[in-house]
Amino acid sequence: MLTHPTLDQLNQLGLFGMAKAFGEVAASGDAAALPHPDWLALLLDREMSYRHDRKLTARLRYARLRHQAAVEDVDYRAPRGLDRALFQKLAEGRWIDAHDNVILSGPTGVGKSWLACALGHRACRNNRSVLYQRIPKLFADLALARGDGRYARLLRALGGVQLLILDDWGLEPLDAAARHDLLEILEERHGRRSTIVTSQLPVDKWHHVIGDPTYADAILDRIVHNAHRIDLTGDSLRRVREKSAKKD
């Protein structure tokens, strides 16, 4: 194992990327052939890459995305009505800078959650904070948090991330507590942060799910009016792929 005073100092300073690069180059015997500026540039480049990778790993861990999805892997050939130009524009992330929202709606199995996670993954890669939540579990967690003192902290976390993904919206009608919680979350985020909502229901059915007309108007105003909408159609991609596999 290579030992060197410079290597020790780099590690003591927390420059672990530079330390690893220093050790690898020194061990390879190429160090003498590198001019000093190139040597320094190599170390700095490795340190920057190391820090970027660590931050990305931390952001992805915090995001807890449901799917390991990437925008580069989106299948635009699948018959589901996905607007390629719109989705690629969303992948650039400028809508997050503008604090806009995205609504992904369509029947089960067409890839709404996967597409939402792909946008979330890209946001993490672009150095933005992301958090994924399934709506049914979120409301259950908030109900428990009221009793154990975590409620305010959880609301701050939901309000503070640059991109919040709310998956599986509208599976069941909201009760009074859920209506209140959702409005509090959206009010904190409105005009300051961006939200992705996925739902099997078209937007014109959301009013009924929320229940109370006053809450429904307030909630929809904070989601819909500045949202980019992707309305997917077609059969479940899983069933389509299963049928294709059987034919093959």
Side-chain angles (χ1 to χ4, degrees), residues 185-236:
I185 294 166
L186 296 175
E187 173 61 28
E188 179 64 25
R189 301 185 61 76
H190 184 58
R192 303 181 185 91
R193 302 286 188 268
S194 295
T195 305
I196 296 177
V197 180
T198 78
S199 178
Q200 295 181 31
L201 298 177
V203 172
D204 60 11
K205 303 293 185 184
W206 289 10
H207 222 275
H208 176 71
V209 172
I210 298 169
D212 183 281
T214 303
Y215 269 97
D217 288 342
I219 288 170
L220 293 180
D221 178 66
R222 287 158 177 78
I223 298 177
V224 177
H225 89 276
N226 64 335
H228 304 269
R229 292 171 60 173
I230 297 177
D231 299 315
L232 302 174
T233 59
D235 295 330
S236 165

Side-chain angles (χ1 to χ4, degrees), residues 24 112 116 128 170 198 229 243:
E24 290 174 352
K112 302 182 297 297
R128 295 184 172 104
T198 78
R229 292 171 60 173
K243 289 178 182 178

